[in-house]
């Protein structure tokens, strides 16, 4: 049975994963939601105005009341900068499975922040929430996201052709990755 915890703060070596605040909408817009380089990999595409981001942030903040809502802002501990987001979603109470998604602002790509945030959230999901399986997907034209998944022990389970249609009306093939709790716990023990 999933033990829902909501969005509790998670600390890593370099990051603080925490709830986003309404007063951070402009930062979120500037750092990733308005950037085509980042948002081209997602279905909705880049925000064209900060008002779109304000609406999204308000929706996120209002959802924090639910223990089934797990959406973290990714903050650099050294500077306090908010550099991205990560969330667990699509919880299935029958299978005790869920999905994970993450976004890192372009200025912070290739520094290991995505890998570090995903490791922390996977650990939280398996050890604190008792999730059975965590899945993720990435567009084939975004292989860096797959590398982040592999570095965290996730295994590619297949490719789904035309899985999504992005904001530019382009169909995208996606690689599907998954990780079982039992495999993670073995992997975590071996790497400790």
């Amino acid at each position: 049975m999933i033990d829902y915890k909501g969005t509790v703060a998670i600390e890593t070596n370099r990051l603080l994963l925490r709830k986003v605040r309404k007063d951070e909408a402009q930062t979120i817009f500037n750092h990733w939601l308005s950037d085509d380089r980042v948002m081209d990999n997602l279905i909705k595409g880049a925000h064209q105005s900060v008002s779109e981001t304000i609406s999204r942030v308000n929706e996120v903040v209002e959802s924090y009341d639910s223990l089934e809502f797990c959406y973290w802002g990714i903050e650099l501990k050294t500077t306090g900068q908010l550099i991205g987001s990560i969330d667990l979603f699509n919880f299935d109470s029958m299978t005790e499975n869920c999905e994970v998604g993450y976004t890192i602002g372009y200025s912070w790509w290739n520094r290991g922040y995505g890998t570090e945030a995903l490791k922390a959230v996977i650990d939280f999901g398996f050890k604190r929430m008792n999730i059975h399986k965590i899945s993720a997907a990435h567009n084939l034209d975004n292989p860096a996201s797959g590398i982040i998944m592999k570095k965290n022990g996730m295994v590619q389970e297949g490719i789904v052709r035309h899985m999504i249609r992005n904001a530019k009306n382009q169909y995208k093939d996606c690689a599907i990755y998954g990780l079982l709790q039992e495999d993670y716990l073995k992997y975590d023990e071996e790497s400790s």
Side-chain angles (χ1 to χ4, degrees), residues 119 127 153 182-192:
K119 178 179 181 0
K127 291 182 178 175
E182 62 193 64
D183 293 339
Y184 174 77
L185 294 176
K186 276 191 269 183
Y187 171 82
D188 190 47
E189 276 180 21
E190 292 169 5
S191 63
S192 294

Side-chain angles (χ1 to χ4, degrees), residues 20 55-65 69 71-72:
V20 298
S55 293
R56 174 65 181 138
V57 171
N58 286 341
E59 177 185 307
V60 167
V61 171
E62 288 164 12
S63 297
Y64 283 137
D65 290 338
F69 189 73
Y71 183 99
W72 294 269

Side-chain angles (χ1 to χ4, degrees), residues 76-189:
L76 293 179
K77 285 169 39 176
T78 55
T79 64
Q81 285 181 296
L82 198 59
I83 64 165
S85 64
I86 187 165
D87 65 325
L88 293 174
F89 62 99
N90 283 349
F91 292 99
D92 184 324
S93 59
M94 296 296 290
T95 62
E96 300 175 342
N97 297 343
C98 72
E99 296 179 52
V100 65
Y102 46 87
T103 306
I104 303 291
Y106 182 79
S107 296
W108 299 277
W109 283 8
N110 300 311
R111 297 183 190 183
Y113 297 130
T115 302
E116 190 171 329
L118 181 58
K119 178 179 181 0
V121 168
I122 286 173
D123 193 73
F124 178 81
F126 287 141
K127 291 182 178 175
R128 304 227 7 238
M129 294 180 66
N130 197 37
I131 301 292
H132 173 72
K133 179 181 180 181
I134 298 175
S135 299
H138 73 85
N139 298 348
L140 293 185
D141 55 0
N142 181 22
S145 193
I147 291 169
I148 289 171
M149 294 171 197
K150 287 179 193 171
K151 285 181 178 179
N152 280 288
M154 298 185 91
V155 176
Q156 185 174 336
E157 298 178 337
I159 294 173
V160 178
R161 295 177 61 221
H162 291 202
M163 181 175 165
I164 64 165
R165 186 176 356 186
N166 68 13
K168 296 176 182 171
N169 209 28
Q170 301 165 320
Y171 284 99
K172 297 289 185 172
D173 298 344
C174 294
I176 307 300
Y177 284 75
L179 182 59
L180 299 175
Q181 181 189 51
E182 62 193 64
D183 293 339
Y184 174 77
L185 294 176
K186 276 191 269 183
Y187 171 82
D188 190 47
E189 276 180 21

